[in-house]
Each structure stands twice: as C-alpha cells, then as structure tokens.
Amino acid sequence: GNSVTQMEGPVTLSEEAFLTINCTYTATGYPSLFWYVQYPGEGLQLLLKATKADDKGSNKGFEATYRKETTSFHLEKGSVQVSDSAVYFCALSDLNFGNEKLTFGTGTRLTIIP
Amino acid sequence: SQTIHQWPATLVQPVGSPLSLECTVEGTSNPNLYWYRQAAGRGLQLLFYSVGIGQISSEVPQNLSASRPQDRQFILSSKKLLLSDSGFYLCAFGVRVPPLHFGNGTRLTVT
C-alpha cells in the first residue's frame, strides 16, 4: 500500500537559516504529492503540490520537486522566518482509487527562533 | 467559492458520553468527504470517507461511526466515548481533483 516517510522532528532553526524537511514515499500508480502546513490551533492548509515527475511546487518561498527516481519530495526554503513556525505534513494522493484521499507522513514540527 | 465548516472548535466530554461532530460543505455538489484524526504526537490518520449520500467507508476499526445524511453534510459520532478518542478531528472535502480542502478542526478532550 501507499506510505509516506517524513523527517522526524522537532526541528529548531534560527531566523534566515536554510530549511530542508525530507519526505520519501511508496505508492502504486502515479500519485500526486503535497505539502500541507498546520499553524498553531488551526486546520491544514495546502502549501504546495506537484502532480507529475519533475514538477516543482512552490509557494511563500517554499519549494519541493517531485523526484520519481528517488521517490522523494523534499521541502526547502532558503531563508525561514518566525512566521514559518508550524507543523509540516508531506502527503500523497493516488487517484487510481477514484477518490483523492491522502496518505500523510507523521508531520514535522518546525520552530524558528528570532 | 467552495468552503467547509466544521464545529465545534473545541469539545470536552466525559468518558462514556456520546459524540456528534458536524461538517458541511458549500459551493460544490457531490463532493468526496473525509474524516481524519490527529492524535497527540502522531500523524494524520484517515478514519472515514464518503463518495456519496449514505456511502461510508471505514479505514480503521474503532469506536466511532460516520454518516452522510445529505450531499454536503458529514457527521462523526460515537455512542460512548473512550479516553483514546481524544485528539484533533479534521473534516475535508475533495472534488476528484487534488488537493483536499480541510476544515479548521475540532479538538476533542475526553476526560
């Protein structure tokens, strides 16, 4: 079955540091890949997505590239801000089953220190 | 525009009491609907999904049940809550094209 393995947290960085959160996946078919973000006390918001190999999703300075050869979708940001403190979830969706239910990683809590 | 509403935002219930969480979607017809749970220190687990009225699929055996009495209404229920039911419950909808759209969640504490 489908699975997502995500970098263990928590991760603590100083403001303006470079961020990488690793994500690898196992899936049948041709999944779409996502990063969701959960700010304190809130639900999940879509951060970025990629629907096919070599696609790069980007939003709010974050980027992730769909790498089929390494089955990875690592999240990166060149210079983090305090407002980026949140929990980040990597997820995949396999439309072969006729619905878009997501399989999530365990989440990575990110804290940015001023 | 498409929106999703979930309530209540927080809930504290004693062990053995019933539960009803409600989720409604606006701005689309015949959405796929989902209930996820996020337990403390753990990731997101899919509990139920529905592709139409009265059609419910359960992903994991548990103390909870789900119903879809109307096209855009999804309800999560329990007859008797357990301590282990505590967590953050998220409703989501999809329109068969990624991504899923999530509600703001309900934080349930069973005491």
Short mmCIF file of all heavy atoms in Angstrom, two decimals, chain A residues 54-84:
data_model
loop_
_atom_site.label_atom_id
_atom_site.label_comp_id
_atom_site.label_asym_id
_atom_site.label_seq_id
_atom_site.Cartn_x
_atom_site.Cartn_y
_atom_site.Cartn_z
N ASP A 54 9.18 15.41 -11.88
CA ASP A 54 9.99 16.58 -12.22
C ASP A 54 9.24 17.90 -12.05
O ASP A 54 9.84 18.96 -12.24
CB ASP A 54 10.57 16.49 -13.63
CG ASP A 54 11.48 15.29 -13.80
OD1 ASP A 54 12.18 14.94 -12.83
OD2 ASP A 54 11.48 14.68 -14.89
N ASP A 55 7.97 17.86 -11.69
CA ASP A 55 7.25 19.09 -11.36
C ASP A 55 7.86 19.71 -10.12
O ASP A 55 8.24 19.00 -9.18
CB ASP A 55 5.77 18.80 -11.08
CG ASP A 55 4.91 18.93 -12.30
OD1 ASP A 55 5.45 19.21 -13.39
OD2 ASP A 55 3.69 18.77 -12.17
N LYS A 56 7.91 21.03 -10.08
CA LYS A 56 8.32 21.74 -8.87
C LYS A 56 7.14 22.54 -8.36
O LYS A 56 6.60 23.38 -9.09
CB LYS A 56 9.50 22.66 -9.15
CG LYS A 56 9.93 23.49 -7.92
CD LYS A 56 11.03 24.49 -8.24
CE LYS A 56 12.37 23.82 -8.35
NZ LYS A 56 13.48 24.79 -8.47
N GLY A 57 6.73 22.27 -7.12
CA GLY A 57 5.72 23.10 -6.49
C GLY A 57 6.40 24.19 -5.69
O GLY A 57 7.47 23.98 -5.12
N SER A 58 5.76 25.37 -5.65
CA SER A 58 6.36 26.47 -4.88
C SER A 58 5.27 27.39 -4.37
O SER A 58 4.23 27.58 -5.01
CB SER A 58 7.35 27.25 -5.74
OG SER A 58 6.70 27.82 -6.86
N ASN A 59 5.54 27.97 -3.18
CA ASN A 59 4.59 28.89 -2.56
C ASN A 59 5.25 29.50 -1.34
O ASN A 59 5.92 28.79 -0.57
CB ASN A 59 3.31 28.15 -2.15
CG ASN A 59 2.23 29.08 -1.64
OD1 ASN A 59 2.19 30.25 -2.00
ND2 ASN A 59 1.35 28.56 -0.82
N LYS A 60 5.08 30.79 -1.14
CA LYS A 60 5.57 31.51 0.04
C LYS A 60 7.06 31.29 0.27
O LYS A 60 7.53 31.26 1.41
CB LYS A 60 4.81 31.07 1.29
CG LYS A 60 3.32 31.34 1.24
CD LYS A 60 2.63 30.91 2.53
CE LYS A 60 1.15 31.19 2.47
NZ LYS A 60 0.45 30.78 3.71
N GLY A 61 7.84 31.09 -0.79
CA GLY A 61 9.28 30.88 -0.67
C GLY A 61 9.67 29.44 -0.47
O GLY A 61 10.86 29.10 -0.48
N PHE A 62 8.71 28.56 -0.27
CA PHE A 62 8.96 27.12 -0.13
C PHE A 62 8.96 26.47 -1.52
O PHE A 62 8.21 26.87 -2.40
CB PHE A 62 7.89 26.46 0.73
CG PHE A 62 7.94 26.82 2.18
CD1 PHE A 62 7.24 27.91 2.66
CD2 PHE A 62 8.68 26.06 3.08
CE1 PHE A 62 7.27 28.27 4.00
CE2 PHE A 62 8.72 26.41 4.42
CZ PHE A 62 8.02 27.50 4.88
N GLU A 63 9.78 25.42 -1.66
CA GLU A 63 9.81 24.67 -2.91
C GLU A 63 9.95 23.18 -2.61
O GLU A 63 10.52 22.79 -1.59
CB GLU A 63 11.02 25.08 -3.76
CG GLU A 63 10.97 26.49 -4.30
CD GLU A 63 12.16 26.77 -5.18
OE1 GLU A 63 13.19 26.06 -5.08
OE2 GLU A 63 12.07 27.72 -6.00
N ALA A 64 9.42 22.36 -3.54
CA ALA A 64 9.64 20.92 -3.47
C ALA A 64 9.54 20.37 -4.88
O ALA A 64 8.66 20.78 -5.64
CB ALA A 64 8.61 20.25 -2.56
N THR A 65 10.44 19.44 -5.22
CA THR A 65 10.48 18.86 -6.55
C THR A 65 10.13 17.38 -6.48
O THR A 65 10.68 16.64 -5.67
CB THR A 65 11.86 19.04 -7.20
OG1 THR A 65 12.15 20.45 -7.26
CG2 THR A 65 11.88 18.46 -8.60
N TYR A 66 9.22 16.95 -7.34
CA TYR A 66 8.76 15.56 -7.43
C TYR A 66 9.85 14.75 -8.12
O TYR A 66 10.07 14.86 -9.33
CB TYR A 66 7.49 15.56 -8.26
CG TYR A 66 6.68 14.28 -8.33
CD1 TYR A 66 5.31 14.37 -8.45
CD2 TYR A 66 7.26 13.03 -8.33
CE1 TYR A 66 4.51 13.24 -8.54
CE2 TYR A 66 6.49 11.90 -8.42
CZ TYR A 66 5.11 12.00 -8.54
OH TYR A 66 4.34 10.88 -8.64
N ARG A 67 10.57 13.93 -7.35
CA ARG A 67 11.67 13.12 -7.88
C ARG A 67 11.24 11.66 -7.91
O ARG A 67 11.23 10.98 -6.88
CB ARG A 67 12.92 13.25 -7.00
CG ARG A 67 13.43 14.67 -6.85
CD ARG A 67 14.13 15.16 -8.08
NE ARG A 67 14.81 16.44 -7.84
CZ ARG A 67 15.17 17.24 -8.81
NH1 ARG A 67 14.90 16.94 -10.10
NH2 ARG A 67 15.79 18.38 -8.54
N LYS A 68 10.88 11.18 -9.09
CA LYS A 68 10.39 9.81 -9.19
C LYS A 68 11.53 8.81 -8.99
O LYS A 68 11.34 7.73 -8.41
CB LYS A 68 9.71 9.59 -10.53
CG LYS A 68 8.91 8.30 -10.59
CD LYS A 68 8.07 8.21 -11.84
CE LYS A 68 7.23 6.94 -11.78
NZ LYS A 68 6.63 6.60 -13.05
N GLU A 69 12.73 9.15 -9.46
CA GLU A 69 13.84 8.20 -9.38
C GLU A 69 14.27 7.92 -7.95
O GLU A 69 14.75 6.82 -7.65
CB GLU A 69 15.03 8.71 -10.20
CG GLU A 69 15.65 10.01 -9.73
CD GLU A 69 14.94 11.26 -10.24
OE1 GLU A 69 13.80 11.15 -10.75
OE2 GLU A 69 15.52 12.34 -10.10
N THR A 70 14.08 8.90 -7.07
CA THR A 70 14.42 8.71 -5.66
C THR A 70 13.17 8.65 -4.79
O THR A 70 13.28 8.57 -3.56
CB THR A 70 15.32 9.85 -5.16
OG1 THR A 70 14.67 11.11 -5.42
CG2 THR A 70 16.69 9.81 -5.84
N THR A 71 12.00 8.65 -5.39
CA THR A 71 10.69 8.68 -4.70
C THR A 71 10.72 9.66 -3.54
O THR A 71 10.42 9.32 -2.38
CB THR A 71 10.26 7.28 -4.22
OG1 THR A 71 11.21 6.75 -3.28
CG2 THR A 71 10.11 6.33 -5.39
N SER A 72 11.07 10.90 -3.86
CA SER A 72 11.21 11.91 -2.82
C SER A 72 10.49 13.20 -3.20
O SER A 72 10.22 13.46 -4.38
CB SER A 72 12.68 12.20 -2.55
OG SER A 72 13.29 12.78 -3.69
N PHE A 73 10.19 14.00 -2.17
CA PHE A 73 9.52 15.29 -2.35
C PHE A 73 9.95 16.18 -1.18
O PHE A 73 9.16 16.57 -0.35
CB PHE A 73 8.01 15.08 -2.39
CG PHE A 73 7.21 16.26 -2.88
CD1 PHE A 73 7.49 16.85 -4.10
CD2 PHE A 73 6.16 16.76 -2.13
CE1 PHE A 73 6.75 17.92 -4.57
CE2 PHE A 73 5.40 17.84 -2.60
CZ PHE A 73 5.70 18.42 -3.81
N HIS A 74 11.21 16.51 -1.13
CA HIS A 74 11.78 17.26 0.00
C HIS A 74 11.37 18.72 -0.06
O HIS A 74 11.40 19.36 -1.11
CB HIS A 74 13.31 17.18 -0.02
CG HIS A 74 13.84 15.78 -0.02
ND1 HIS A 74 13.28 14.76 0.72
CD2 HIS A 74 14.91 15.25 -0.68
CE1 HIS A 74 13.97 13.65 0.53
NE2 HIS A 74 14.95 13.91 -0.33
N LEU A 75 11.01 19.26 1.11
CA LEU A 75 10.60 20.66 1.23
C LEU A 75 11.81 21.52 1.57
O LEU A 75 12.56 21.18 2.48
CB LEU A 75 9.53 20.80 2.31
CG LEU A 75 8.96 22.20 2.52
CD1 LEU A 75 8.13 22.62 1.31
CD2 LEU A 75 8.11 22.25 3.79
N GLU A 76 11.97 22.66 0.87
CA GLU A 76 13.10 23.55 1.11
C GLU A 76 12.64 25.00 1.14
O GLU A 76 11.68 25.37 0.47
CB GLU A 76 14.16 23.38 0.01
CG GLU A 76 14.79 22.02 -0.05
CD GLU A 76 15.86 21.91 -1.13
OE1 GLU A 76 15.80 22.69 -2.09
OE2 GLU A 76 16.74 21.05 -1.00
N LYS A 77 13.38 25.78 1.93
CA LYS A 77 13.20 27.23 1.92
C LYS A 77 14.55 27.86 2.22
O LYS A 77 15.24 27.43 3.15
CB LYS A 77 12.15 27.69 2.93
CG LYS A 77 11.85 29.19 2.82
CD LYS A 77 10.71 29.63 3.71
CE LYS A 77 10.38 31.11 3.46
NZ LYS A 77 9.27 31.60 4.30
N GLY A 78 14.88 28.88 1.47
CA GLY A 78 16.22 29.45 1.57
C GLY A 78 16.44 30.28 2.82
O GLY A 78 17.56 30.35 3.32
N SER A 79 15.40 30.92 3.34
CA SER A 79 15.56 31.82 4.48
C SER A 79 14.25 31.81 5.27
O SER A 79 13.28 32.46 4.87
CB SER A 79 15.91 33.23 4.01
OG SER A 79 16.00 34.13 5.09
N VAL A 80 14.25 31.10 6.37
CA VAL A 80 13.00 30.94 7.13
C VAL A 80 12.74 32.16 8.03
O VAL A 80 13.67 32.86 8.44
CB VAL A 80 13.00 29.65 7.97
CG1 VAL A 80 12.97 28.43 7.06
CG2 VAL A 80 14.20 29.61 8.92
N GLN A 81 11.47 32.35 8.34
CA GLN A 81 11.03 33.43 9.21
C GLN A 81 10.31 32.85 10.43
O GLN A 81 9.84 31.71 10.39
CB GLN A 81 10.10 34.36 8.45
CG GLN A 81 10.66 34.89 7.15
CD GLN A 81 11.94 35.68 7.37
OE1 GLN A 81 11.99 36.53 8.25
NE2 GLN A 81 12.97 35.41 6.57
N VAL A 82 10.19 33.66 11.46
CA VAL A 82 9.49 33.21 12.66
C VAL A 82 8.07 32.75 12.33
O VAL A 82 7.56 31.77 12.89
CB VAL A 82 9.46 34.32 13.72
CG1 VAL A 82 8.57 33.93 14.89
CG2 VAL A 82 10.88 34.62 14.22
N SER A 83 7.44 33.43 11.37
CA SER A 83 6.07 33.08 10.99
C SER A 83 5.95 31.73 10.28
O SER A 83 4.83 31.24 10.07
CB SER A 83 5.50 34.17 10.07
OG SER A 83 6.33 34.32 8.93
N ASP A 84 7.06 31.11 9.94
CA ASP A 84 7.04 29.77 9.34
C ASP A 84 6.92 28.67 10.40
O ASP A 84 6.80 27.49 10.04
CB ASP A 84 8.31 29.54 8.52
CG ASP A 84 8.40 30.45 7.31
OD1 ASP A 84 7.34 30.77 6.73
OD2 ASP A 84 9.53 30.85 6.95
#
